[in-house]
Amino acid sequence: LPAVTKALAQWVFSHPYNIKRPEVTKYLQPFQLSPETLQEVSARLRKDLLRGLGKHSHHKAPVKMLPTFVRATPDGTEKGDFLALDLGGTNFRVLHVRVEEEAQKVQICAIPQEMMLGTGEQLFDHIATCLGDFLESHNLKGQTLPLGFTFSFPCEQLEIDKSILIRWTKGFNCSGVEGKDVVQLLKEAIHRRGDYHIGSVAMVNDTVGTMMSCGYKDQSCEIGMIIGTGTNACYMEEIKNVKRIEGKDGRMCINTEWGGFGDDGCLDDILTEFDVEVDKTSINPGVHIFEKMISGMYLGEIVRLVLVKMTKDKLLFKGQISEALGTPGRFETKFISEIEDGLENAKKILTELGLDWDLVDASVVRLVCDTISSRSAYLCAAALATLVNRIRNNRKLGHLKTTVGVDGTVYRKHPTFSSKLQKAVRLLAPQCDITFLVSEDGSGTGAAMVTAVAQRLAHQSRLLEESDGEDNEEEEEEEEEGQ
Ligand code: BGC
């Protein structure tokens, strides 16, 4: 790195804690990725994007680069009344969206843990029930509204309303859904009830929903990124580069599924023993390795494992592991945000976890949280830098100005995550000027927007055909007159 960038890097990667227990640094050092390592990570992802886009290489590619059939972002003129479903985290949401008024009604239904691990039929029956209750309580049962379905899992999309689940992620593991068309499963569940109908369905990944809902407000938004329970991003790619799709002109949104980066072992050299453990004990070992270093489903557990090891080595809590600290999953990712937010929070949480702490313990815990959340932010920055650099190269631009729509609890709730990520992206993609726009109304609205944009495009092409027709008629008339 040039000297100026090195100085900048020092500032970006510095942390505010002055720790009086230097032995702890050896535990944390493997999490501290240098700017050079991040550049290397970005270069590896760049290659993997190409593998995912390739006609013959995509089958085995860890970064799946899934076509979404979304060919344009909003132009701000979209209108209409839609239903939207949003499934992907711990809650399931049903929405009624009126695009031009930005009005929406929302109902949130919890998805109990047993249901996340039960049968697909139970899950889709539950979804159909929530939707039915929503329609009932908002007097919408008689209408047949188009429905946008945000389904935040990797799907091979065959058409906008045909989407095959490749695999569950993020703690979901319902039987009988992988390899099936999710739209079909939803329609069957609605049919089993038989008391209401839905119109055309558009299936959307949450990254796409986020890009589209932000794109309504800022038309230069061409990337959607989620850093929440899971992590992923989508962006507008040139169709000619998507070798599995016919056609040469225009763009299509690609759902990268970057959470799968590293599934072929290409990140093994930066994994820590704690990452390996988190993967081994997860419900989907061996897959979504990048996601497991970054997202909310796993960050708390990584911190817990580090704290347990330090305690066993008598560096923390007088060597005493409390029952809570010894229990997998008990150190929640939201504790990281709270602990980093202030020393008082840290003390409170350590007490709640039944730990016998002193002030140095509390500051070490804060440093552990900072180190692990920073690594997550920097890895996301490296991945995002890869995407913006790719868009810039695709368009042969010296300088790219673009907007990224973002959502997810880690990005939204952590006190310094977003600023660290932004600083690091600037460092890794110096020729790109990126505006970050947090999605206001969630990815559900974006699913409605996908339908609205598709309707707008269809309407435009009808108008074009009609005017072509008129031109032809005129030409024919002229020809006739000439004869
Ligand atoms: C899924 C993605 C999703 C991301 C964020 C990942 O686990 O594979 O499809 O976009 O989580 O919700």
Side-chain angles (χ1 to χ4, degrees):
L1 288 180
V4 179
T5 325
K6 270 220 152 119
L8 190 61
Q10 248 167 20
W11 169 69
V12 169
F13 293 92
S14 64
H15 69 76
Y17 307 106
N18 173 19
I19 299 298
K20 299 189 183 60
R21 215 172 270 169
E23 313 89 287
V24 302
T25 51
K26 88 161 191 272
Y27 296 78
L28 299 180
Q29 204 246 329
F31 291 100
Q32 285 155 349
L33 304 176
S34 68
E36 289 82 357
T37 306
L38 293 174
Q39 279 177 324
E40 173 59 28
V41 168
S42 174
R44 290 181 196 171
L45 180 60
R46 186 168 64 230
K47 285 199 191 124
D48 274 0
L49 299 187
L50 285 177
R51 281 167 75 191
L53 288 172
K55 192 166 189 157
H56 304 293
S57 50
H58 82 88
H59 295 290
K60 290 202 182 131
V63 181
K64 299 228 161 321
M65 304 297 278
L66 303 164
T68 64
F69 294 87
V70 171
R71 291 168 197 271
T73 51
D75 70 358
T77 63
E78 288 74 15
K79 321 188 182 23
D81 234 350
F82 304 92
L83 290 173
L85 304 179
D86 187 358
L87 179 76
T90 35
N91 286 321
F92 165 69
R93 303 186 315 141
V94 188
L95 301 96
H96 177 213
V97 184
R98 188 158 290 154
V99 169
E100 64 275 34
E101 291 170 17
E102 290 192 38
Q104 50 168 301
K105 296 180 188 120
V106 192
Q107 182 178 310
I108 298 178
C109 309
I111 306 263
Q113 176 92 31
E114 318 82 76
M115 200 168 275
M116 289 163 101
L117 303 173
T119 68
E121 197 167 300
Q122 279 165 343
L123 176 72
F124 282 94
D125 280 343
H126 181 62
I127 292 173
T129 305
C130 297
L131 177 55
D133 293 348
F134 179 84
L135 295 175
E136 182 83 58
S137 62
H138 293 91
N139 270 331
L140 292 166
K141 250 190 170 161
Q143 299 187 34
T144 306
L145 294 172
L147 180 137
F149 188 3
T150 306
F151 186 73
S152 311
F153 302 95
C155 287
E156 190 71 58
Q157 194 128 3
L158 302 178
E159 284 158 44
I160 194 76
D161 62 348
K162 197 165 177 143
S163 200
I164 314 289
L165 176 65
I166 299 174
R167 70 160 79 104
W168 288 113
T169 57
K170 296 178 289 195
F172 274 79
N173 204 2
C174 300
S175 58
V177 188
E178 287 179 353
K180 300 265 177 62
D181 174 11
V182 180
V183 178
Q184 192 59 32
L185 295 176
L186 174 69
K187 284 186 177 162
E188 282 169 13
I190 293 174
H191 191 72
R192 277 197 287 280
R193 293 173 53 95
D195 59 339
Y196 64 86
H197 298 283
I198 50 167
S200 59
V201 177
M203 276 294 288
V204 185
N205 185 263
D206 51 353
T207 53
V208 183
T210 300
M211 178 185 80
M212 296 299 269
S213 72
C214 289
Y216 187 62
K217 284 168 211 127
D218 174 346
Q219 271 109 56
S220 47
C221 180
E222 291 185 285
I223 299 181
M225 177 172 77
I226 305 280
I227 312 161
T229 313
T231 184
N232 189 13
C234 69
Y235 72 105
M236 295 304 286
E237 176 61 88
E238 310 302 312
I239 290 201
K240 64 176 184 326
N241 295 335
V242 190
K243 305 288 188 222
R244 337 159 31 185
I245 295 278
E246 303 275 315
K248 296 235 169 319
D249 300 327
R251 296 184 179 141
M252 182 179 281
C253 177
I254 296 295
N255 166 16
T256 65
E257 288 294 335
W258 74 22
F261 181 34
D263 289 5
D264 59 351
C266 84
L267 295 175
D268 285 2
D269 57 339
I270 61 163
L271 293 182
T272 66
E273 59 183 287
F274 309 101
D275 297 307
V276 174
E277 177 73 17
V278 162
D279 176 46
K280 238 198 311 191
T281 52
S282 68
I283 65 167
N284 54 351
V287 295
H288 270 222
I289 298 298
F290 194 56
E291 173 159 283
K292 287 171 184 164
M293 300 168 87
I294 290 176
S295 76
M297 176 105 197
Y298 310 98
L299 287 184
E301 186 61 7
I302 303 178
V303 169
R304 189 188 73 83
L305 291 173
V306 175
L307 297 182
V308 165
K309 174 136 194 216
M310 286 180 169
T311 313
K312 276 190 184 150
D313 293 350
K314 312 248 168 341
L315 278 168
L316 281 177
F317 316 128
K318 307 177 184 68
Q320 298 296 311
I321 298 170
S322 66
E323 197 194 324
L325 186 66
T327 309
R330 271 301 305 278
F331 193 99
E332 295 174 45
T333 296
K334 70 169 190 216
F335 295 166
I336 299 180
S337 297
E338 289 165 11
I339 287 174
E340 285 188 60
D341 210 16
L343 187 62
E344 289 310 308
N345 293 348
K347 294 178 184 170
K348 191 166 145 265
I349 289 169
L350 295 181
T351 305
E352 276 167 16
L353 289 172
L355 293 159
D356 181 7
W357 54 270
D358 63 26
L359 271 178
V360 183
D361 287 336
S363 63
V364 170
V365 172
R366 293 187 80 199
L367 176 62
V368 173
C369 290
D370 175 279
T371 307
I372 286 159
S373 65
S374 300
R375 182 186 65 157
S376 162
Y378 298 147
L379 284 172
C380 280
L384 182 59
T386 316
L387 292 191
V388 288
N389 281 327
R390 178 165 177 85
I391 296 179
R392 189 177 63 77
N393 285 329
N394 276 346
R395 300 183 192 171
K396 301 188 174 50
L397 295 172
H399 186 266
L400 173 78
K401 192 166 164 32
T402 193
T403 298
V404 181
V406 200
D407 207 349
T409 41
V410 174
Y411 187 90
R412 278 171 178 279
K413 300 270 166 72
H414 187 281
T416 55
F417 190 96
S418 57
S419 70
K420 282 186 179 154
L421 184 151
Q422 292 176 19
K423 281 182 198 162
V425 181
R426 273 180 216 126
L427 194 72
L428 298 165
Q431 288 131 306
C432 301
D433 174 3
I434 309 169
T435 305
F436 289 81
L437 194 61
V438 173
S439 162
E440 289 292 321
D441 33 27
S443 44
T445 320
M449 198 62 71
V450 168
T451 319
V453 171
Q455 286 179 355
R456 170 173 64 77
L457 292 181
H459 182 65
Q460 278 168 354
S461 82
R462 261 200 313 277
L463 287 181
L464 213 65
E465 273 168 25
E466 278 168 23
S467 79
D468 268 2
E470 279 166 21
D471 287 350
N472 287 344
E473 276 167 27
E474 276 169 23
E475 276 166 24
E476 278 164 21
E477 276 168 21
E478 275 168 22
E479 269 176 31
E480 274 170 20
E481 274 168 23
Q483 274 170 0

